[in-house]
């Protein structure tokens, strides 16, 4: 009887697959993911605008500049207007400036904005949102024209 030499295969005796020995662990955990402030600002801006009672984002001055920028070819609408994010390794803090519609309960709108922003940012980025500060800079009255409409009137006058 002849004996055949046994070869040591990568998984012989260990019960582990060859993939788990290479690189040390799940491939999804190898490496580092960084998220830019602007990414979080876009997510938060979109989530805040989805709340009923939020008329616009940003202060009057930033909305005026935004209206002009929107008219410039390639300028596009700024989703991040009125949003400032500070992003760390695992946490983020947000400052939002909003304009609410007349007649809504500002405290309810602020609560809904916080809930919507926190849910969206945490779901999409995996970051913990430690705070969402909201500054209400204006109330949109029913008979007021939007800042964008003011820009159209100024453009026609020129």
């Amino acid at each position: 009887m002849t004996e055949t030499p046994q070869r040591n295969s990568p998984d012989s005796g260990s019960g582990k697959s060859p993939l788990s020995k290479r690189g040390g662990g799940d491939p999804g955990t190898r490496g580092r993911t960084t998220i830019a402030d602007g990414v979080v600002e876009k997510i938060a801006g979109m989530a805040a605008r989805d709340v009923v009672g939020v008329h616009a984002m940003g202060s009057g001055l930033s909305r005026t500049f935004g209206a002009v920028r929107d008219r410039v070819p390639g300028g596009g609408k700024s989703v991040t207007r009125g949003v400032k994010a500070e992003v760390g390794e695992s946490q983020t803090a947000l400052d939002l400036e909003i304009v609410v519609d007349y007649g809504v309960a500002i405290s309810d709108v602020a609560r809904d904005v916080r809930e919507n922003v926190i849910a969206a940012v945490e779901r999409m980025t995996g970051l913990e949102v430690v705070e969402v500060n909201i500054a209400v800079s204006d109330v949109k009255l029913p008979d007021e024209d939007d800042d964008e409409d003011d820009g159209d009137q100024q453009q026609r006058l020129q």
Side-chain angles (χ1 to χ4, degrees):
M1 213 179 352
T2 61
E3 287 185 24
T4 56
Q6 290 186 349
R7 294 186 182 176
N8 290 333
S9 63
D11 61 341
S12 66
S14 69
K16 295 182 181 176
S17 70
L19 288 178
S20 65
K21 281 191 169 187
R22 279 187 273 154
D26 177 29
T29 61
R30 297 181 206 166
R32 179 181 207 172
T33 302
T34 56
I35 300 171
D37 292 358
V39 172
V40 175
E41 289 169 356
K42 282 184 180 183
I43 295 167
M46 291 297 292
R49 283 175 175 79
D50 285 344
V51 174
V52 174
V54 174
H55 178 74
M57 301 286 295
S59 66
L61 185 60
S62 70
R63 290 194 324 268
T64 301
F65 284 129
V68 172
R69 185 176 46 243
D70 293 346
R71 285 176 178 68
V72 174
K77 287 199 176 272
S78 176
V79 178
T80 61
R81 184 184 313 151
V83 183
K84 176 68 179 134
E86 293 180 22
V87 180
E89 287 186 30
S90 62
Q91 297 178 326
T92 185
L94 294 152
D95 294 322
L96 304 177
E97 191 170 2
I98 65 173
V99 176
V100 297
D101 291 319
Y102 177 79
V104 300
I106 293 173
S107 59
D108 292 345
V109 172
R111 183 194 64 239
D112 293 346
V113 167
R114 274 190 191 90
E115 290 174 356
N116 210 33
V117 166
I118 289 169
V121 170
E122 287 184 346
R123 179 179 51 83
M124 292 182 71
T125 65
L127 295 168
E128 176 190 5
V129 179
V130 293
E131 67 180 1
V132 177
N133 300 311
I134 298 173
V136 179
S137 62
D138 201 1
V139 174
K140 166 66 171 73
L141 299 175
D143 58 346
E144 283 182 333
D145 290 332
D146 286 340
D147 286 338
E148 283 110 23
D149 294 341
D150 293 344
D152 284 340
Q153 290 172 355
Q154 290 173 358
Q155 206 171 29
R156 283 187 291 244
L157 293 175
Q158 294 174 356

